Amino acid sequence: MKSLAELEALRKSTLEKINLRKEDGDGARVVVGMATCGIAAGARPVLNAFMEEIAKRNLDNVTVTQTGCIGLCQYEPIVEIYTPGLEKVTYAKVKPEMVAQIVTEHIVNGKPCSQYTIGNVQK
Amino acid sequence: MRELSLHILDIVQNSITAGAKLVIINIVEDINLDELVIEIIDNGKGMDDETIKRVMDPFYTTRTTRKVGLGIPLFKNAALTTGGKFYITSRQGSGTIETAVFKHSSIDRQPIGDMSQTMLTLMTGNENIDFLYYHRYVSGEQNDQFIFDTRQIKQALGGADVNVPEIYMWIKEYIQEGISNLYGGVQ
């Protein structure tokens, strides 16, 4: 049975790592649409998949944020990725299975997965 | 929406938009009464009677990007299809309470779903808002509860980031374990 004391101990043991996390804001930003349309289309597992994949790979300067409805409900779940030096990329109808690939190819290697972008996804 | 936890995530977004600083999510499963009650209580800006009537209407929304607002109508419908009830009470300036009552054994009742994902989504997306998730399970003589209070979590973390992998995963497992204990260790 887990207790909050355990969490405190865990925090102390990871303190060093926490201190190393950059706050300089030059990393990639992942924005997931979390309005009714996004949630109903399956945005929550997508958001969680991004959190876990980024955590797993220790991508300290990548932030994941949530936004409301951008008016393209038929394309939800929509994920926008802002990376320094690259244009904003909008992914449409994202599934949790795509997340590892998007993180590896786009965020780590700087090559957006064009097959999943909004321009290439059928309505 | 396929799970009640998704409805909860969606309805709580309204509380956040209403400027709530604390949102309480109450889930009570009472097998003896064959009832599942979900209550969402916030201290946001509240609504007047006119607005309460209008939010039940799918063609009412405060947003500007589209003309429909389905969050509350979908949640209400999920409760009513089980033979349940749905109410909103609100006072301007003090907050809103939404209550959905489901028939627990109804074949049309959606599963509660993954509350750990809902809580983590809320927590990581809204660092300045506190969430209290309270889940009670009553069956026969059994009467157990699980409480997840982000204020306690924040205190234990002492300002550390929830997004640190070990911490994020620990919180996820903590919630999953707490809920599965209510059902006698099985999910």
Side-chain angles (χ1 to χ4, degrees):
Chain A
M1 186 71 198
K2 289 184 162 56
S3 70
L4 291 175
E6 201 183 308
L7 180 60
E8 228 173 311
L10 184 65
R11 184 218 357 152
K12 281 177 190 136
S13 72
T14 53
L15 202 61
E16 221 167 284
K17 201 185 275 179
I18 294 164
N19 288 339
L20 286 173
R21 285 176 74 85
K22 287 178 210 142
E23 297 287 345
D24 50 11
D26 66 350
R29 197 155 59 88
V30 179
V31 182
V32 183
M34 291 296 289
T36 306
C37 49
I39 295 170
R44 190 189 62 178
V46 170
L47 176 84
N48 282 266
F50 270 107
M51 301 292 292
E52 284 178 23
E53 190 63 29
I54 286 160
K56 234 187 282 171
R57 291 174 149 272
N58 271 316
L59 301 173
D60 287 343
N61 54 356
V62 178
T63 52
V64 180
T65 55
Q66 302 167 30
T67 188
C69 171
I70 61 166
L72 296 165
C73 309
Q74 68 273 36
Y75 290 107
E76 294 282 354
I78 293 174
V79 176
E80 295 174 326
I81 299 185
Y82 301 80
T83 23
L86 283 175
E87 268 186 67
K88 176 188 90 173
V89 177
T90 305
Y91 291 104
K93 297 192 176 181
V94 180
K95 293 186 176 65
E97 304 87 85
M98 302 174 183
V99 169
Q101 192 188 352
I102 293 174
V103 170
T104 313
E105 291 182 13
H106 185 167
I107 298 175
V108 178
N109 296 333
K111 293 191 184 77
C113 307
S114 57
Q115 70 273 36
Y116 302 142
T117 57
I118 196 155
N120 292 324
V121 170
Q122 290 282 312
K123 219 186 226 185
Chain B
M1 307 265 178
R2 290 176 190 159
E3 303 174 0
L4 297 174
S5 65
L6 292 174
H7 286 284
I8 293 171
L9 175 59
D10 191 22
I11 297 298
V12 173
Q13 306 285 1
N14 294 340
S15 302
I16 293 164
T17 311
K21 288 282 152 239
L22 172 67
V23 183
I24 300 169
I25 300 162
N26 243 332
I27 300 181
V28 180
E29 294 182 74
D30 193 324
I31 306 302
N32 300 342
L33 296 172
D34 193 16
E35 218 174 58
L36 165 65
V37 181
I38 298 176
E39 211 173 24
I40 293 158
I41 305 166
D42 72 54
N43 61 356
K45 67 182 177 186
M47 294 179 280
D48 56 28
D49 290 346
E50 183 62 21
T51 313
I52 294 175
K53 270 181 223 152
R54 282 193 296 167
V55 292
M56 306 270 197
D57 172 3
F59 296 101
Y60 175 74
T61 179
T62 56
R63 78 180 71 252
T64 49
T65 51
R66 58 173 153 80
K67 289 195 175 109
V68 291
L70 291 172
I72 291 170
L74 285 173
F75 189 42
K76 181 183 175 183
N77 189 52
L80 297 188
T81 50
T82 70
K85 292 170 225 157
F86 182 80
Y87 327 92
I88 298 179
T89 46
S90 187
R91 187 175 297 162
Q92 265 187 306
S94 47
T96 301
I97 303 175
E98 275 147 291
T99 311
V101 183
F102 302 78
K103 185 175 188 305
H104 199 288
S105 66
S106 168
I107 189 115
D108 293 316
R109 181 181 64 79
Q110 295 167 346
I112 293 174
D114 190 345
M115 279 303 293
S116 69
Q117 277 202 36
T118 286
M119 293 315 296
L120 277 167
T121 304
L122 290 171
M123 221 183 148
T124 53
N126 309 281
E127 281 167 26
N128 300 320
I129 302 174
D130 293 315
F131 300 96
L132 172 61
Y133 163 42
Y134 174 94
H135 195 142
R136 176 174 287 277
Y137 187 83
V138 182
S139 175
E141 295 293 299
Q142 187 197 345
N143 189 340
D144 292 322
Q145 63 181 37
F146 169 67
I147 298 172
F148 177 78
D149 187 339
T150 60
R151 289 168 294 192
Q152 287 175 345
I153 299 285
K154 280 177 196 165
Q155 203 185 352
L157 286 175
D161 194 339
V162 183
N163 294 325
V164 174
E166 289 87 345
I167 292 173
Y168 184 89
M169 294 311 291
W170 186 92
I171 294 172
K172 185 171 184 172
E173 284 164 22
Y174 177 71
I175 300 172
Q176 283 172 344
E177 191 181 286
I179 298 169
S180 87
N181 281 341
L182 291 178
Y183 303 118
V186 285
Q187 182 85 53

